């Protein structure tokens, strides 16, 4: 994978106590949305904050995922925490 041909999306979230495992399962599903190549999660030492990093094949793929026309189930799964 050549990073100069990809689109990286980073998000920062504050997690509710005890939800790290749930977030991790949602962030690393068995099937990525179309166009997503990789996903990583980086937690603060106390587990209350996470930086999510996803790598996409294009800005269009990332926008398609975030667009309201995307599958509501997928959007809820990735943004529920």
């Amino acid at each position: 994978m050549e990073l100069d041909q990809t689109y990286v999306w980073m998000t920062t979230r504050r997690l509710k106590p005890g939800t790290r495992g749930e977030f991790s399962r949602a962030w690393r599903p068995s099937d990525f949305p179309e166009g997503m190549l990789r996903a990583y999660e980086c937690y603060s030492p106390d587990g209350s904050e996470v930086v999510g990093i996803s790598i996409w094949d294009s800005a269009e793929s990332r926008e398609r995922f975030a667009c309201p026309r995307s599958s509501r189930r997928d959007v809820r799964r990735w943004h529920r925490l």
Side-chain angles (χ1 to χ4, degrees):
M1 173 174 56
E2 295 191 31
L3 291 179
D4 62 341
Q5 300 297 315
T6 59
Y7 182 81
V8 177
W9 182 38
M10 296 176 64
T11 61
T12 302
R13 293 187 173 95
R14 198 172 287 281
L15 301 177
K16 296 176 188 174
T19 61
R20 179 178 171 168
E22 183 181 357
F23 178 85
S24 184
R25 285 187 297 279
W27 185 247
R28 293 194 173 257
S30 58
D31 296 319
F32 287 140
E34 183 179 345
M36 181 184 277
L37 305 174
R38 300 276 190 279
Y40 303 94
E41 57 205 65
C42 305
Y43 293 95
S44 63
D46 67 359
S48 67
E49 294 179 285
V50 62
V51 174
I53 304 165
S54 55
I55 302 173
W56 299 79
D57 62 4
S58 67
E60 293 78 20
S61 292
R62 201 321 254 164
E63 293 303 318
R64 211 172 23 250
F65 171 74
C67 178
R69 292 183 306 238
S70 296
S71 164
R72 291 282 186 207
R73 182 182 56 83
D74 287 344
V75 172
R76 278 195 310 270
R77 179 176 71 186
W78 285 74
H79 296 284
R80 69 180 171 208
L81 299 177

